[in-house]
Amino acid sequence: MEIKRMRGFLRSRFRGSKLTVFSLLAALFIIVPLIIIILEFFRPATEVWDHFVSSLLTGYLKNSLVLIAGAAAGTFIMGTGTAWMVSMYEFPGRKFLSWALVMPIAIPAYINGYTWAGMLDYTSPLYTFLRERFSFDTGAYLFIDLLSLEGAIVIFSLSLYPYVYLVSRAFFMNQSAVMMETAASMGRSPLQSFFLVALPMARPAIVAGITLVLMEVLNDYGLVRYFGVETFTTGIFSAWFAFGDQGTALRLAGWLLVVVLLIILAEKVQRGKARFDTLGGSFRPLRRRGQKRIMAVVTSVAVSIPFLLGFMLPFLMLAWWTVQTASVVVDLSFIRLTANSFLLGASASVTGMAAAVVILFSLRVNRSRFMFLLSKLSTMGYALPGAVVAIGILIPLLMADSLLRPILGWLPMDTGRIMISSSVFALLYAYLVRFLAVGYNNLEAGYEGISMSIDESAASMGSSNRRTFRELHLPLLKVSLLGGGLLIFVDVLKELPLTLILRPFNFDTLAIRAFEYASDERVAQSAPAALIVILTGMVPAFLMNRLLTKKIL
Amino acid sequence: MQTFLFITLTAFMVLFTSCTEQEVVNVYSSRHYDVDTRLLDKFSEKTGIRVNTVKADSDQLITRLENEGDRSPADVLITADGTRLVIAKQRGLLQRMDPDIAGSVVPLQWRDSDMYWTGLTKRVRFLVYHPGRVDAVDLADYESLTSEKWNGRLLVRSSNSHYNQTLLTSVIVALGEQGALEWAEGIVRNMAREPAGNDRDQVKFIAAGLGDVAIVNSYYMGLLHNSQNSEERNVAGQMEVFFPNQDGRGAHVNISGAGLAAYAPNRENGQRLIEFLLSMEAQEQIANENFEYPVLPGAGLPDMLMKWGPFREDTVSLDSLGQYSGQAMMTFNRAGWR
Amino acid sequence: MSILFLNEVSKVFRSSQGYAVKCVSLELEKGEIMALLGESGSGKTTLLRMIAGFEKPTSGSVILYGRKVSGDGIFIEPEKRGVGIVFQDYALFPHLRVKENMEFGLKKFTPGAKCERIRQLMELTGTSSLGSRYPHELSGGQKQRIALARALAPGPDLILFDEPFSSIDSVLKNQMRKEIKGILKRSGATAVFVTHDTRDAMVMADRICMLRKGENIQTGTPDELYNFPHNAYVAGFFGRTNLIRAEITGEGLKTGLGILPYKGEKRREGEKVLLSIRPENFVMKNKEDGCICGNIVDRSFMGEYSELICHVVTGKGENEEVVIKIPPDESCEGKKCYFKPRKKGIRILSDKPGELQKGNHADNNNSPT
C-alpha cells in the first residue's frame, strides 16, 4: 500500500516534467533521419531512380543477400565451433585462446580487408618469397583472388565471428553445462550433445549474435567498396555523389532499412517462439575433457586459425608496415588527425552517455508506456547503417542551414560561412543517433542493478530526484557509464561511411585517413592510422570481455 | 549534467578554432599523390600562404561544394578527372579566373574556353600487355578489344573509376550511344575477371597470369616502374605499353585540373596557387615525380615518357565529353560493367 | 556383485581449499536406494558427480557393475558409464517435447521398441498424457516424474539424483518422495541421491551415508542413524536431542541428572563420555519414585506433541536443561515434573565430552519445516 502510494506520488510529480520533455526531444532528434527516409517514398521517383531499379537494384539485393548468407554461415561456423572447443575440451593454449579469440573484434572489417588484400597482392612479401625461394609459379593457380564477393565473405567472417563466439561461449560454458551432463548420462557423445542439445538450446542467443553480424555487414562501406562488391551502401554513395541525386540515395537507404528491419523481425520471431524455460539453480561450469595428445594439438591448431587469420596476421602485417612507413607518415598533421579522432570519440561518448542517462532516468521516474516507447525509438539508431544515418541527417541540416541563413546574416560577427550541416555538430549528432543504443544498453544493465526501492526510500527521506541521481545513481553507475562511454568511443574511432559523408572542412579522422591511403593503393602508409584504431579497439576487448558481451546481449 | 555540458562545449570550442587564420588557401582536391603534398608545401614556402587541403573523391567534393553553396570555404577545386571539372562548371560551382593565369600558357584543348577551369596534367589511358603472351601487332584500338580473340584475357577496373567513365564518354562521342553500349558489352564479355582493384592491380593481374591485356592510365606504369617495392618494378619490367587508336582518332587523353571555386573566400590566393601549379617548375616536377604529361608545352619530360615517345592524342574537347557523363554511368550499368 | 563400489575416493579442487571429498568408501547392492546426506559443502554432490563421471577423482577408484570406471589412470567418460542422472532443476531439454526428451537416451532402440519403452515409462511414472508437451508447460511434479522417466529410459543399472526434492514445495514433497520411491522399487533400479533433508533420506533411502566436510562419518539404515548415531553431529542432524555428559561408573552412567542405566559393551570405569537422549525417549511419571525431578521452564504445544523444557538441578547446584516430548493428551500441570529416560533411548556417542562446546543439547538446523 505504502509503496504503491509512493510510486503514485512520484509519478504525479514528474509527469510532464523537464526530464520527460528533454528525453522526448532527444528521441525526436534521433528519429529524424527515419522520418526523412520514410517521407522520401511519398515523393515522385526521379529518372535516376528508374535507372537504378532497372539495372542496379537487383544486383545490390543479390550481393547483399549473398553477403549476409555467407557471413552468417561463416561467423556461425567459426564462432560456435571455436566456442564449443574452448568450453568443452582441454588443449594446449586453451586459456589464452578463449580470450584471444575475441580480439578480431578490434579490427574493423575494412582494415582487415585491405590488409589481407595487401598481404595477398601479387607483389606482396608472401608471393615474392614463394617465387624467390621456391621458384613457385605464383601465377593463376596459387594466386588467391581476394577482391571478390567470396573474398568479402571470408573477411567479414574473420572479422565478425567474435560476436557469435562471445554469446555461444557464454552459453556453452555456463547455461548448458547441466544439459550436457544429462545428455552424457544418457549415452550421448560430446559431438552428439553439441548438435542435439547445445546448439538448439543456444539458438536464440546465437541468432541474436548473428543478427549483430548482419547489421555490421549491411553497415559496411569500406570493405565492399574496396573489394568491388556493389551493395546498398556503395549504391547510396554512388547515387548521392556520382549521380548527385539525393532522392535516389534516400530511396536506397529506405530499401536497406527494409532489409535491416526484416532481419530484426526474423530474429524477434525466432526468439519469440522459443519461450524456453530459463534454468534455475546453480550455473556450474562444464568439466572440460582431456584429449589424446595428437588430438589436443590438432584442436589447438584448428582453434587458433580464426584468431591467427582474423587478428594476429593482419595485426603483425600492419605493425610491420607501421615500422616501415611511420617515419614518413607520422608528422604534425598525423598527430592532429589522431587528436581529432580522439576528441571526436570522447565528445561522442560524453553526449551519448549523457543522453542515455537522461532517457533512462526519466524512464525510471516515469514508467509510463509512452516513455517506454520513447526509449525504444531512441535506441533504434544502432540498426540504421551509417550511410543511412548520414544522409538522413544531412538533408534536414541543409534545410536548417538555409532557414538559419537570414538570422546568421543579421548577427554582427563573421558568421556568414557557418553551417550546421558541415560542422562537428552534425557529426556528433549522427554519432549520437547511431551509437546511443550502445551506451544505453550498458547503462540499462547498470540500472537494473539498482533496485527501485532505493529510489523510493530516498524519496521517503525527502531526497529530490536530482539528489537521488547525483548521490545514489551516479556513484553506483560509474562503471556502466565508463564502460558504455568506452564502447561508443571505440565505435566512433572505427566508423567510416558516416564520417566520410559528414566530416567538416579540413577535418580527417584516423579511419578516413587509413581508408584513403588504402584506396590509393598505399596500404603500407595506412598502417599507422589503422594500428591506432586497432589498439584502441583492443582496450574494451582486452579489459572486459564482459563489457562486449553486454553490448551484444 | 553541468559537467557533461561543460566538457562537450569545450570540445566544440577546441574543434572549431582550427580555421581562423590570415593568409590561407583552401583546396578541395581529389588528387592524392605525394608529389602534390610536396608542391603545396613549396607553394606555402614561397608565398607564405598556408594551404588547407580536403582530400576526397571528386564526386564527394562536388556534392559538398553544392551543399555549401555560397558559404563554402573552398577556394580551389582540384580533380583527377576532366569531366568532373566540366560538371562543376555546369553546376555553377566554379568562377572565371584571370585569363592571363592559364589562357596564355595552356593550349585551348586542355582548358575551359571561358577559363572556369584549366588542366594541370594529362594522362593517357593506354594498353599494357605481356609481350610473351601478346603480339603488339594484334593490338590496334579500343574497339578491337571487343573481338573474340581477347575473350577471357582483358583486364580493366570497375566502372566506378572516373577514368573509365571519361573513356566511355569519348567512345560515346566517337561511336554514338548505341555503339558505346555495344563496345562496353564487348569489353565485359572479354573480361578475364570481374573488375576489382585499381589500375596498378590490373598490371599485377597480368603478371599473375589472370589476363594478358589491361586498360591502364599511363602514369600508373611510371609509378610502378619507379616503385620502392622491387617486386613492383619487376612486374612493370615484364610489361610493354601500347598507345591505341594511333591510326584513327588518337589515344584517349584525360586531364587532371583545377578551377576556382565560385564563392572562394580567398580568390587571390587561389589564383596564385593555380598559377604556381602551371609554372614550368611545378609542371616538370609533376612529370618527373608522378609521370603525368604536363599541359604546358615545352615542359621537360622524364626519361620514361621520352622512351614511350610521342603519340597521337584524341582531340575531342572535354567540354563535349562532359555532357555525356550521366549517360556513361548508365551505359556501364546497362552493360553490366561492375 | 555390487552395483557400485567406491574405494577411498578423494577429490581436491584446489590444494588451498583442502579436500572436497576425503577417502570415501561405499558399496551399493542391486535394488538398493542410498542417500548421500549432509549440509551444503559436505562434498555429497561432488561425490555424486564423481560417480557419474562429471568430476575426476583426485585419488581412489570407482567401480561400476564390476568395471573400473575411474582410478589407476582409467577414466571412462560419463556417456560410456550407463548411469542415469536426475538433476535438481531436472534439466529437461527445453527445445524437445516430453516424448522426445524421453527418447533422447534410446539411440540404440528400434522405433518400435522406443515407442513401447516410452509407453511403459509413462505408465510407470503416470505421465501418459504429457507426451507432446514442452517442458515449460509442465508443473514441478510433472517435470520431476519425466526427468526420472527419461533417466530410467535406457535402463541404467544405477540412477543418480541431485537434490531431487529441493525445488518442490513441502506439500508436494511428501507425495513425490513416496511416488519416486515406488517407481524406483517397481523398476528395480539402484539409486543414489543427494539431499540435505533428513526426511528425504529417511523416507526414501534403504541406507544413508552421512557426509561431513568430505568425510563419511556414518553409513547405515535410517533407523541406525536416527537411533544409533555415532556422534553428536549425526545425532543433532537427525533432530533434537539432549546431549549429556556422563562418567562411567560401576552403578551406571553418572550424569548431572543422576545415575542412568548403562547397557552395551563394557567400558573402562571412570571414562568420560557423551550421551544422546532424544526428547521422545523420556517417560513422564507421577511420583518422584526413582525419577528425575525437573522444573518446567517452558511449555510449547506443537500439535502432535508437546514440548517441555525442564531445568534439573545437578549435584553441583547447576541447572541442566532437558528437552522432553510428551504426547499432547498427557497433561503435565504444575511447575514440577518427574521423568525417566527409556533404557533403550540412551546412546553413548563417540565424541569426547570436551568437544562439546555450545549448550548441552544439539539442534537440528536442517530439520524440515
Side-chain angles (χ1 to χ4, degrees):
Chain A
M1 265 311 278
E2 206 48 38
I3 289 172
K4 244 184 201 165
R5 201 180 306 154
M6 191 77 76
R7 285 219 175 113
F9 168 70
L10 281 174
R11 229 177 257 158
S12 61
R13 194 166 140 202
F14 290 101
R15 178 164 296 150
S17 72
K18 270 190 287 183
L19 219 53
T20 312
V21 172
F22 211 84
S23 39
L24 177 67
L25 272 176
L28 269 180
F29 261 101
I30 281 160
I31 56 175
V32 160
L34 256 178
I35 295 169
I36 296 288
I37 289 162
I38 292 166
L39 283 180
E40 178 61 31
F41 278 87
F42 293 100
R43 288 175 44 190
T46 58
E47 207 178 299
V48 177
W49 172 248
D50 294 338
H51 167 67
F52 267 73
V53 171
S54 64
S55 46
L56 294 169
L57 200 61
T58 46
Y60 294 160
L61 210 58
K62 200 199 94 203
N63 282 346
S64 294
L65 292 181
V66 173
L67 270 182
I68 283 174
T75 51
F76 171 73
I77 292 168
M78 277 196 266
T80 53
T82 50
W84 173 251
M85 296 312 277
V86 157
S87 15
M88 199 67 192
Y89 294 102
E90 206 50 77
F91 52 86
R94 190 197 68 82
K95 234 180 179 169
F96 169 74
L97 280 171
S98 151
W99 157 90
L101 278 165
V102 184
M103 296 317 279
I105 222 167
I107 308 188
Y110 61 93
I111 291 182
N112 217 337
Y114 69 65
T115 307
W116 267 104
M119 284 195 277
L120 295 180
D121 185 281
Y122 183 74
T123 55
S124 70
L126 172 69
Y127 283 117
T128 309
F129 176 78
L130 287 176
R131 271 195 299 271
E132 280 175 2
R133 288 296 153 86
F134 304 103
S135 52
F136 263 157
D137 174 22
T138 52
Y141 300 108
L142 247 172
F143 187 75
I144 299 173
D145 187 13
L146 198 64
L147 301 181
S148 59
L149 186 58
E150 296 78 16
I153 290 175
V154 171
I155 297 298
F156 273 130
S157 304
L158 279 174
S159 316
L160 300 173
Y161 79 86
Y163 286 112
V164 182
Y165 169 77
L166 272 171
V167 285
S168 335
R169 187 189 61 176
F171 198 91
F172 294 153
M173 273 196 177
N174 303 317
Q175 255 146 303
S176 65
V178 80
M179 296 294 178
M180 302 307 304
E181 289 177 348
T182 309
S185 79
M186 293 160 84
R188 296 293 188 170
S189 72
L191 202 67
Q192 287 173 322
S193 322
F194 175 62
F195 285 108
L196 293 173
V197 178
L199 267 190
M201 279 183 60
R203 193 196 71 204
I206 291 174
V207 172
I210 291 178
T211 306
L212 241 100
V213 168
L214 300 188
M215 299 288 171
E216 293 285 335
V217 170
L218 289 174
N219 175 49
D220 172 81
Y221 168 73
L223 180 66
V224 287
R225 177 69 208 260
Y226 195 83
F227 278 39
V229 180
E230 306 248 291
T231 63
F232 282 102
T233 41
T234 61
I236 290 171
F237 271 77
S238 152
W240 178 276
F241 297 117
F243 286 91
D245 188 15
Q246 295 183 354
T248 300
L250 277 172
R251 266 163 205 269
L252 282 173
W255 275 91
L256 177 51
L257 208 58
V258 169
V259 174
V260 169
L261 289 178
L262 281 178
I263 291 174
I264 293 176
L265 198 72
E267 197 271 333
K268 283 264 159 13
V269 166
Q270 69 91 27
R271 186 185 286 226
K273 265 189 198 155
R275 269 186 311 116
F276 290 160
D277 252 1
T278 42
L279 296 174
S282 54
F283 287 160
R284 193 198 310 269
L286 210 58
R287 179 183 64 82
R288 283 180 290 277
R289 308 229 165 172
Q291 287 177 298
K292 290 202 187 92
R293 185 162 305 159
I294 300 166
M295 274 314 289
V297 171
V298 170
T299 312
S300 289
V301 172
V303 174
S304 319
I305 288 173
F307 165 68
L308 291 178
L309 300 188
F311 182 80
M312 209 59 225
L313 258 103
F315 182 80
L316 288 177
M317 191 72 237
L318 286 168
W320 172 240
W321 279 333
T322 302
V323 170
Q324 282 184 319
T325 61
S327 58
V328 185
V329 175
V330 180
D331 54 10
L332 202 68
S333 82
F334 183 83
I335 291 165
R336 218 175 64 193
L337 191 78
T338 313
N340 274 351
S341 287
F342 278 56
L343 212 53
L344 205 57
S347 323
S349 57
V350 168
T351 43
M353 290 320 288
V357 163
V358 168
I359 295 174
L360 272 165
F361 188 65
S362 36
L363 186 63
R364 202 172 165 86
V365 296
N366 177 5
R367 287 181 175 266
S368 64
R369 192 173 275 177
F370 174 68
M371 269 311 296
F372 188 71
L373 187 76
L374 222 57
S375 71
K376 280 283 152 242
L377 274 178
S378 50
T379 53
M380 270 187 56
Y382 203 68
L384 304 182
V388 176
V389 172
I391 63 170
I393 278 178
L394 191 49
I395 288 170
L397 285 187
L398 283 170
M399 288 192 275
D401 272 331
S402 55
L403 286 175
L404 279 177
R405 169 155 213 154
I407 304 167
L408 281 174
W410 276 43
L411 291 176
M413 294 168 290
D414 177 25
T415 49
R417 283 181 191 268
I418 287 180
M419 290 181 80
I420 309 170
S421 56
S422 56
S423 67
V424 176
F425 168 76
L427 209 47
L428 285 178
Y429 175 18
Y431 288 144
L432 179 67
V433 171
R434 180 141 164 72
F435 297 127
L436 174 62
V438 175
Y440 181 93
N441 289 348
N442 231 276
L443 200 67
E444 193 181 33
Y447 254 129
E448 265 158 25
I450 306 177
S451 144
M452 254 326 263
S453 54
I454 285 191
D455 293 30
E456 281 154 3
S457 54
S460 73
M461 288 183 271
S463 164
S464 69
N465 262 316
R466 183 184 287 246
R467 192 169 151 228
T468 304
F469 175 73
R470 200 175 278 173
E471 291 177 21
L472 296 173
H473 293 179
L474 216 49
L476 289 168
L477 291 173
K478 218 177 249 166
V479 175
S480 311
L481 278 170
L482 284 175
L486 182 64
L487 286 178
I488 295 181
F489 182 83
V490 169
D491 271 334
V492 167
L493 230 57
K494 294 201 286 196
E495 214 293 326
L496 189 66
L498 189 158
T499 319
L500 222 41
I501 296 178
L502 289 177
R503 69 194 155 139
F505 170 72
N506 219 3
F507 190 95
D508 275 350
T509 65
L510 289 165
I512 286 180
R513 180 58 62 89
F515 183 68
E516 276 176 357
Y517 270 127
S519 306
D520 297 351
E521 277 283 287
R522 290 188 291 177
V523 178
Q525 276 99 317
S526 81
L531 210 59
I532 295 181
V533 173
I534 293 170
L535 288 172
T536 321
M538 278 166 74
V539 173
F542 206 71
L543 280 181
M544 26 202 153
N545 265 335
R546 277 246 278 342
L547 198 67
L548 285 167
T549 324
K550 238 185 244 165
K551 175 180 160 186
I552 291 170
L553 293 175
Chain B
M1 205 54 198
Q2 276 94 333
T3 353
F4 283 145
L5 282 175
F6 177 74
I7 293 170
T8 319
L9 283 176
T10 324
F12 273 122
M13 306 260 283
V14 175
L15 287 169
F16 271 126
T17 45
S18 52
C19 1
T20 46
E21 228 175 283
Q22 279 298 300
E23 284 302 297
V24 291
V25 58
N26 295 329
V27 179
Y28 280 17
S29 172
S30 72
R31 282 175 59 96
H32 40 71
Y33 316 109
D34 292 333
V35 67
D36 287 40
T37 321
R38 290 192 286 269
L39 274 175
L40 294 177
D41 284 350
K42 202 179 256 182
F43 173 74
S44 298
E45 222 170 85
K46 277 197 164 163
T47 59
I49 299 170
R50 209 184 71 177
V51 185
N52 291 321
T53 329
V54 174
K55 286 187 197 167
D57 177 83
S58 49
D59 284 330
Q60 291 182 27
L61 292 175
I62 288 171
T63 310
R64 163 153 247 161
L65 278 172
E66 234 174 351
N67 289 341
E68 288 167 345
D70 59 357
R71 279 175 281 185
S72 173
D75 297 311
V76 176
L77 172 70
I78 299 178
T79 71
D81 169 49
T83 314
R84 303 303 129 178
L85 288 169
V86 176
I87 292 172
K89 180 193 170 192
Q90 279 169 1
R91 298 197 189 162
L93 304 175
L94 300 179
Q95 61 173 309
R96 193 190 291 264
M97 52 185 126
D98 281 349
D100 43 315
I101 290 175
S104 50
V105 289
V106 180
L108 184 62
Q109 195 191 347
W110 306 125
R111 63 176 167 82
D112 180 45
S113 47
D114 300 328
M115 285 311 296
Y116 275 77
W117 52 264
T118 173
L120 296 171
T121 64
K122 299 183 287 182
R123 43 276 289 277
V124 192
R125 202 133 179 85
F126 61 17
L127 305 180
V128 172
Y129 65 96
H130 192 285
R133 290 177 241 146
V134 173
D135 192 342
V137 181
D138 292 336
L139 296 165
D141 44 28
Y142 299 113
E143 290 73 29
S144 69
L145 291 174
T146 61
S147 91
E148 193 107 335
K149 153 173 76 183
W150 300 112
N151 202 348
R153 301 169 69 186
L154 203 58
L155 288 158
V156 63
R157 71 196 283 191
S158 111
S159 60
N160 283 324
S161 153
H162 293 157
Y163 307 145
N164 278 347
Q165 288 168 18
T166 305
L167 171 64
L168 187 62
T169 57
S170 82
V171 177
I172 293 176
V173 169
L175 305 179
E177 250 182 85
Q178 188 55 34
L181 176 61
E182 281 162 19
W183 176 77
E185 283 168 349
I187 297 288
V188 171
R189 247 195 329 271
N190 284 347
M191 281 179 185
R193 52 155 297 151
E194 287 275 331
N198 76 16
D199 281 2
R200 257 180 287 200
D201 285 322
Q202 312 308 317
V203 180
K204 290 179 191 172
F205 290 149
I206 299 182
L210 290 182
D212 300 326
V213 183
I215 303 175
V216 173
N217 260 11
S218 53
Y219 70 98
Y220 276 118
M221 274 313 281
L223 288 173
L224 266 183
H225 270 293
N226 292 277
S227 166
Q228 289 188 327
N229 180 340
S230 64
E231 203 54 34
E232 289 193 342
R233 292 199 298 275
N234 184 17
V235 165
Q238 300 171 24
M239 305 298 157
E240 296 285 348
V241 305
F242 182 86
F243 290 90
N245 297 63
Q246 293 303 296
D247 300 331
R249 63 179 188 268
H252 167 66
V253 176
N254 199 343
I255 59 147
S256 167
L260 204 54
Y263 304 98
N266 311 293
R267 189 170 186 276
E268 266 323 296
N269 295 348
Q271 298 210 105
R272 285 179 73 182
L273 177 65
I274 295 173
E275 197 170 17
F276 168 76
L277 292 173
L278 287 172
S279 68
M280 188 61 82
E281 180 195 6
Q283 287 280 303
E284 288 189 345
Q285 190 175 348
I286 300 179
N288 275 315
E289 295 177 17
N290 216 41
F291 310 99
E292 296 170 80
Y293 289 95
V295 285
L296 205 63
L301 293 181
D303 293 346
M304 163 133 299
L305 302 191
M306 292 296 279
K307 205 181 80 196
W308 287 342
F311 60 95
R312 173 187 279 203
E313 296 169 339
D314 188 350
T315 50
V316 63
S317 80
L318 279 163
D319 259 338
S320 50
L321 294 185
Q323 61 192 351
Y324 291 111
S325 71
Q327 266 114 321
M329 201 59 216
M330 293 194 187
T331 306
F332 273 133
N333 293 339
R334 276 192 208 109
W337 187 326
R338 258 197 5 196
Chain C
M1 188 201 296
S2 60
I3 291 284
L4 170 70
F5 180 58
L6 300 182
N7 187 19
E8 303 198 329
V9 171
S10 298
K11 176 74 186 177
V12 177
F13 284 107
R14 266 190 219 131
S15 47
S16 60
Q17 293 171 343
Y19 282 96
V21 170
K22 189 175 178 185
C23 265
V24 172
S25 298
L26 273 182
E27 194 163 1
L28 213 67
E29 295 302 326
K30 182 153 179 52
E32 209 177 0
I33 300 177
M34 175 175 271
L36 300 178
L37 179 67
E39 340 176 272
S40 62
S42 62
K44 55 192 192 303
T45 298
T46 307
L47 190 61
L48 189 85
R49 293 171 60 77
M50 287 193 286
I51 298 171
F54 302 138
E55 303 289 351
K56 206 170 180 169
T58 312
S59 65
S61 50
V62 179
I63 293 158
L64 270 171
Y65 330 130
R67 176 176 72 141
K68 186 171 275 182
V69 293
S70 178
D72 300 328
I74 296 170
F75 186 77
I76 306 286
E77 293 294 349
E79 65 267 22
K80 295 183 183 124
R81 291 194 177 193
V83 171
I85 186 157
V86 177
F87 282 102
Q88 182 175 359
D89 46 22
Y90 318 128
L92 294 176
F93 302 131
H95 60 295
L96 300 179
R97 292 171 192 279
V98 164
K99 218 175 216 159
E100 294 161 333
N101 259 288
M102 291 189 185
E103 269 176 18
F104 194 85
L106 302 177
K107 57 174 175 172
K108 284 181 188 139
F109 284 51
T110 62
K114 250 185 213 177
C115 261
E116 175 54 22
R117 179 79 182 134
I118 287 168
R119 201 193 52 74
Q120 275 177 4
L121 285 165
M122 286 184 156
E123 204 169 286
L124 180 73
T125 53
T127 53
S128 301
S129 58
L130 306 175
S132 54
R133 292 212 194 157
Y134 278 104
H136 67 262
E137 300 166 327
L138 301 173
S139 73
Q142 288 170 331
K143 279 184 197 171
Q144 183 157 49
R145 277 183 282 239
I146 282 151
L148 176 58
R150 184 179 69 169
L152 286 170
D157 294 299
L158 178 63
I159 290 212
L160 308 175
F161 293 84
D162 185 13
E163 297 275 5
F165 305 109
S166 66
S167 33
I168 302 186
D169 64 76
S170 58
V171 182
L172 193 60
K173 228 178 197 177
N174 265 324
Q175 185 198 333
M176 285 311 291
R177 283 180 192 132
K178 294 213 174 90
E179 210 169 292
I180 301 267
K181 184 171 184 180
I183 294 169
L184 286 174
K185 288 295 174 195
R186 264 176 280 148
S187 66
T190 314
V192 175
F193 71 98
V194 154
T195 183
H196 60 258
D197 185 337
T198 49
R199 289 280 170 81
D200 289 348
M202 290 197 285
V203 174
M204 291 266 300
D206 300 320
R207 275 198 301 151
I208 296 171
C209 167
M210 178 90 207
L211 290 164
R212 187 190 190 193
K213 291 179 183 164
E215 284 181 88
N216 175 2
I217 49 173
Q218 190 172 359
T219 305
T221 62
D223 174 62
E224 280 169 347
L225 265 82
Y226 186 83
N227 289 320
F228 301 92
H230 280 177
N231 57 29
Y233 180 77
V234 178
F237 203 87
F238 277 85
R240 240 176 154 177
T241 191
N242 296 292
L243 295 176
I244 297 156
R245 288 163 216 272
E247 189 184 335
I248 298 193
T249 63
E251 314 135 73
L253 298 160
K254 191 178 155 210
T255 71
L257 308 178
I259 306 284
L260 300 180
Y262 166 51
K263 204 184 134 209
E265 67 198 274
K266 273 263 176 262
R267 283 181 184 257
R268 190 166 50 81
E269 266 187 42
E271 189 185 350
K272 300 251 198 282
V273 293
L274 193 62
L275 306 182
S276 157
I277 307 172
R278 296 221 178 262
E280 66 269 27
N281 282 336
F282 289 102
V283 197
M284 302 305 289
K285 297 284 176 190
N286 292 328
K287 306 175 289 210
E288 202 164 344
D289 182 27
C291 285
I292 304 160
C293 169
N295 299 314
I296 298 176
V297 199
D298 188 37
R299 194 193 309 259
S300 337
F301 177 66
M302 309 292 280
E304 42 200 311
Y305 61 89
S306 292
E307 192 180 84
L308 302 180
I309 295 175
C310 308
H311 281 174
V312 177
V313 182
T314 65
K316 291 174 188 161
E318 290 160 352
N319 274 337
E320 176 127 28
E321 195 175 276
V322 179
V323 183
I324 301 169
K325 260 185 205 175
I326 56 169
D329 54 337
E330 207 169 297
S331 61
C332 187
E333 306 295 325
K335 279 197 129 191
K336 273 199 184 307
C337 65
Y338 305 99
F339 55 90
K340 220 174 162 173
R342 288 198 182 94
K343 204 172 177 186
K344 278 184 187 167
I346 301 171
R347 301 283 161 240
I348 300 175
L349 302 174
S350 59
D351 309 69
K352 291 279 158 280
E355 289 166 16
L356 194 65
Q357 277 159 5
K358 44 166 198 178
N360 63 347
H361 61 89
D363 273 319
N364 179 5
N365 297 323
N366 299 296
S367 70
T369 47

